[in-house]
Amino acid sequence: MEFQLKQCQAATEKTGTVIVAVSGKELSPSARELDAASDGQIAHALKGAGFEGKPGQIQMFYALPGIAAEQVLVVGTGELKELDSRGLQRAAAAAVKALAKAPRKAVSFLAELDVKGLDLNERIGDIVRASLEGSYRFDEFKSRKSPAKGLEQLTVAVPDKAAASAGKKALAWGQAVARGINRARDLGNQPPNICHPTYVAEQAKLLGKTHDKTLDVKVLGEADMKKLGMGAFLAVSHGSEQEGKLVIMEYKGGKKSEAPVVLVGKGITFDTGGISLKPGAGMDEMKYDMCGAAAVLGVMAALAESGLPVNVVGVMACAENMPSGRATRPGDIVTTLSGQTVEILNTDAEGRLVLCDALTYISRYKPAVVIDIATLTGACVVALGKVVSGLFTPSDDLAAELLEAGQRSGDRTWRMPVLADYQEALDSPFADIANISTAGPGGGAITAACFLARFTKDYTWAHLDIAGVAWNSGANKSATGRPVPLLMQYLKQRVEC
Ligand code: BES
Ligand code: MN
Ligand code: ZN
């Protein structure tokens, strides 16, 4: 899909579709203009159709008198005073989805909406981003692809020429973020027989080749990790025929002297649970257990495309968690790269094992901030559902920045405690630490974060548990690409201040 910005009028614009909003009962300025030009046809028909302007609700009008466009698409946003970034994106995505089989060109008048906390450029960025997200499809493995080609060109209408030229950067930003999101979704949706650790590493290398001036990619295999002493990581990858890989991507967009932000993603390309085998129902969804790593790759792609002036190191800790004769047993004790020993009581708590060694490894970068991203616990889904990700950090400042980035990007997060009182639950009679709480399942997302906290004392750190938000289940199951938007917004905020 191609994007452009243009100053234009809804009633006279010759195009396939004009997209306008209705917020609750209130017609947007352009919707009112269309209504006036068509002698009140829009308001009249909306009333008849019982259209209430609810978020994402849509109504199409064909060949209205007095209107130059072939058709008009009205999209609901919910009450205007409650409209935020998330709501604007929902409307833009719903519009694009509704136009999959329509004329190939459309002009969107959604940027005129008054959205809480967003200026015009941010609204442009959100519309572009959501439109690209809304047109995402994953049909690589379908013999018969959908014949609908989708929108070819979307013009975002702006009030004047100055806004059109000022908005170009926002447009490019929205595009870069959306491509990063869709890239993360592609990786997440790949089946686990194809998307194994080596495949993920190859994807990173390809990305590095495309952006060889700003992106360096390095891959450590199991022999390298053994030499380093990454006993916890290897305890997970050992049971699999697929070799575990630690993928390191260095994006150099900022000053040489500037300490990097380090992102560490959990990349379990399939999580059977290992010897602590998971129940069979829905186990296929554990192909998404690499969505933390996919988000890191998506962020690196978006950074390279946007050229954001920051230094970021992206690390993907990739392994497959399988039961086999070589697999780790419950009761095994391993030595982590940090020197701390871990008694592995449950091989299904594998994410923290690959992450703890990766988190120790990256201290060599003397990071300004470290954020790990992981589909870490079912307990986080129980606590927060699929709306917000779990944010765990001892730093109030970092928490505030990430919470703000979540609000502004519509990819929200919610702070959870990492109090010392929870640490006792991880005591082991035999090793320095157990890999699961011995006090039962209560607070499972927190005790998982507390495990990681023992390996992140040398720097400012946050952990995002994305087990709930990384994919949608059910008939239309698919990776969401979250939290690429949150992380990109956070990095942008760092540059702006
Ligand atoms: N990948 C899972 C967490 C998960 C579960 C994500 C369901 C999304 C949906 C993780 O490796 C895991 O198995 N965690 C265990 C930890 C437990 C053994 C302490 C869990 O959540 O049950
Ligand atoms: Mn597991
Ligand atoms: Zn897992």
Side-chain angles (χ1 to χ4, degrees):
M1 199 188 307
E2 228 182 70
F3 294 92
Q4 61 178 34
L5 299 167
K6 199 175 146 193
Q7 175 199 14
C8 53
Q9 291 311 117
T12 53
E13 187 65 12
K14 281 203 189 74
T15 183
T17 312
V18 288
I19 303 166
V20 294
V22 171
S23 308
K25 293 252 172 293
E26 195 179 331
L27 271 64
S28 74
S30 295
R32 258 182 277 136
E33 184 191 314
L34 293 176
D35 193 50
S38 65
D39 248 345
Q41 292 247 9
I42 294 205
H44 182 72
L46 283 178
K47 220 174 183 183
F51 190 87
E52 293 167 303
K54 284 190 188 142
Q57 203 182 2
I58 51 169
Q59 185 70 48
M60 191 80 92
F61 297 93
Y62 304 94
L64 283 174
I67 290 167
E70 290 169 42
Q71 52 183 33
V72 171
L73 176 65
V74 176
V75 55
T77 69
E79 295 297 331
L80 199 54
K81 59 180 187 301
E82 273 150 39
L83 189 62
D84 59 2
S85 167
R86 176 88 210 93
L88 177 62
Q89 288 175 42
R90 237 178 113 178
V96 163
K97 277 192 190 136
L99 294 177
K101 292 179 191 144
R104 311 288 311 276
K105 290 186 180 173
V107 182
S108 169
F109 287 84
L110 297 181
E112 70 184 356
L113 294 173
D114 227 334
V115 186
K116 258 196 294 192
L118 296 191
D119 62 23
L120 175 62
N121 284 337
E122 287 171 309
R123 301 199 296 272
I124 292 169
D126 275 357
I127 291 166
V128 170
R129 194 192 115 191
S131 301
L132 273 177
E133 278 186 77
S135 63
Y136 176 82
R137 249 184 252 153
F138 186 78
D139 54 9
E140 217 181 302
F141 297 94
K142 289 271 196 197
S143 312
R144 241 192 274 156
K145 319 270 183 219
S146 156
K149 290 206 178 77
L151 266 189
E152 193 169 73
Q153 188 191 66
L154 184 74
T155 302
V156 180
V158 289
D160 49 53
K161 287 222 169 79
S165 80
K168 277 192 186 134
K169 258 179 136 175
L171 192 152
W173 174 258
Q175 252 176 317
V177 174
R179 289 208 189 106
I181 293 167
N182 287 348
R183 197 172 182 118
R185 291 162 93 182
D186 271 343
L187 210 53
N189 286 330
Q190 284 290 336
N193 57 326
I194 288 172
C195 181
H196 42 61
T198 305
Y199 175 89
V200 179
E202 288 306 322
Q203 294 300 305
K205 281 186 195 157
L206 280 173
L207 185 66
K209 267 202 195 122
T210 320
H211 301 282
D212 59 341
K213 290 204 178 65
T214 48
L215 197 62
D216 285 339
V217 178
K218 188 165 77 176
V219 178
L220 303 187
E222 288 186 5
D224 305 307
M225 291 191 263
K226 197 164 178 192
K227 254 189 239 150
L228 284 162
M230 300 177 73
F233 187 111
L234 293 168
V236 177
S237 64
H238 226 76
S240 168
E241 297 288 323
Q242 294 294 341
E243 188 183 355
K245 297 276 159 84
L246 189 73
V247 185
I248 300 136
M249 299 168 282
E250 298 177 22
Y251 169 73
K252 292 166 185 155
K255 289 197 197 85
K256 249 199 171 141
S257 59
E258 183 191 294
V261 172
V262 179
L263 305 174
V264 180
K266 171 178 172 182
I268 300 298
T269 59
F270 196 71
D271 181 12
T272 66
I275 298 297
S276 313
L277 195 63
K278 284 183 182 295
M283 206 205 269
D284 63 289
E285 294 195 352
M286 280 300 124
K287 72 171 182 176
Y288 293 121
D289 211 16
M290 35 58 71
C291 283
V296 173
L297 189 96
V299 166
M300 301 315 280
L303 285 172
E305 184 180 328
S306 68
L308 194 72
V310 283
N311 293 331
V312 178
V313 179
V315 174
M316 301 189 284
C318 301
E320 193 183 45
N321 189 22
M322 296 289 267
S324 79
R326 293 200 303 167
T328 296
R329 293 154 287 255
D332 282 2
I333 294 178
V334 297
T335 304
T336 64
L337 180 58
S338 74
Q340 298 175 81
T341 57
V342 177
E343 183 183 18
I344 300 176
L345 293 176
N346 189 321
T347 62
D348 198 11
E350 83 297 339
R352 60 198 81 180
L353 295 174
V354 296
L355 287 174
C356 72
D357 277 349
L359 287 166
T360 304
Y361 178 85
I362 54 91
S363 66
R364 69 187 59 204
Y365 288 101
K366 309 243 176 307
V369 168
V370 177
I371 303 170
D372 78 73
I373 306 106
T375 48
L376 201 62
T377 64
C380 190
V381 193
V382 173
L384 299 173
K386 299 183 85 60
V387 176
V388 292
S389 54
L391 165 64
F392 302 79
T393 176
S395 162
D396 292 342
D397 290 342
L398 183 54
E401 285 166 35
L402 284 165
L403 287 168
E404 189 196 337
Q407 204 54 48
R408 281 176 63 181
S409 64
D411 184 3
R412 290 162 299 173
T413 189
W414 200 263
R415 193 173 183 188
M416 304 272 277
V418 224
L419 299 172
D421 311 50
Y422 292 97
Q423 285 288 357
E424 278 168 33
L426 295 171
D427 285 346
S428 155
F430 302 120
D432 298 336
I433 179 171
N435 83 322
I436 59 166
S437 162
T438 52
I446 302 169
T447 48
C450 284
F451 182 94
L452 299 176
R454 298 215 190 185
F455 300 86
T456 54
K457 295 197 169 127
D458 293 347
Y459 43 71
T460 306
W461 159 77
H463 157 61
L464 291 169
D465 195 330
I466 60 163
V469 303
W471 76 89
N472 293 318
S473 303
N476 289 321
K477 64 183 151 205
S478 179
T480 61
R482 291 178 67 183
V484 172
L486 164 68
L487 293 167
M488 289 304 290
Q489 178 64 36
Y490 166 73
L491 292 167
K492 186 163 157 244
Q493 280 169 210
R494 280 182 70 88
V495 172
E496 282 166 359
C497 73

